[in-house]
Amino acid sequence: MSGDGTAAEVLALLERRGQTLAVAESLTGGLVAAELTAVDGASRSFRGSVTAYATDLKHELLGVDGALLAERGAVDAEVARQMARGVRRALGADWGVATTGVAGPTPQDGQPVGTVHVAVAGPSEAVAAAALRLEGDRAGIRGQSVRAAVKLLFSELIATAGAKDTEQHDEF
């Protein structure tokens, strides 16, 4: 697979596999879902999203450990992992993607602007996560976070690729 991890490539892989995706977003406020649903035919694989901007919603809707949120705040790698698992479970999807972080203009939970965590939970229950230190204004940080989340999902899909996926890589 030689693509660069666009939303269209992610959705094509998911459709080919007969798998589904759900998204949990905080700092991106629905932008990951918007990026995915801008692709024609996204509904064949995209189940939905939860924009859990408020910290208590991360616990109530996505099942993030309340003690973890109280101790570390919402801007944390393990919070992102739990959000990805939680949205996967809550929306009945094969894959879950999550974003949490600080887009600015001020720090949050003791974390500087540009601190972002993205995570992907897959069918095997394994969770991949990436910690990012991004530069730019609020819109720039949010946009970079969307791209990072989609690329992390693409990487995980490629890492778990079967023969059916690799046989058809010429489409990209």
Side-chain angles (χ1 to χ4, degrees):
M1 187 71 49
S2 61
D4 61 359
T6 66
E9 289 172 319
V10 161
L11 290 166
L13 277 173
L14 289 168
E15 183 178 357
R16 190 174 305 130
R17 293 177 179 193
Q19 293 180 325
T20 57
L21 170 65
V23 177
E25 299 185 65
S26 187
L27 85 145
T28 50
L31 293 174
V32 175
E35 181 83 5
L36 292 162
T37 59
V39 176
D40 289 342
S43 63
R44 291 189 288 271
S45 298
F46 185 71
R47 291 202 37 88
S49 65
V50 173
T51 302
Y53 213 64
T55 299
D56 61 315
L57 294 180
K58 291 171 184 64
H59 172 67
E60 294 168 13
L61 297 177
L62 300 172
V64 176
D65 183 332
L68 174 68
L69 289 166
E71 180 184 325
R72 298 188 198 167
V75 183
D76 180 78
E78 182 57 26
V79 170
R81 288 183 190 94
Q82 289 187 22
M83 288 172 65
R85 282 189 202 107
V87 77
R88 184 177 169 267
R89 185 174 42 251
L91 299 186
D94 297 300
W95 293 87
V97 174
T99 64
T100 188
V102 187
T106 59
Q108 177 187 335
D109 296 335
Q111 299 294 325
V113 172
T115 302
V116 175
H117 298 279
V118 297
V120 172
S124 70
E125 295 294 322
V127 181
L132 310 170
R133 298 285 184 233
L134 304 175
E135 305 259 333
D137 63 9
R138 183 175 173 79
I141 289 169
R142 293 173 79 211
Q144 292 172 70
S145 299
V146 170
R147 288 187 292 282
V150 172
K151 285 184 186 264
L152 181 60
L153 174 59
F154 183 75
S155 295
E156 289 304 299
L157 288 168
I158 295 302
T160 61
K164 185 176 180 186
D165 296 321
T166 57
E167 288 171 5
Q168 299 180 20
H169 82 281
D170 291 340
E171 293 178 16
F172 297 106

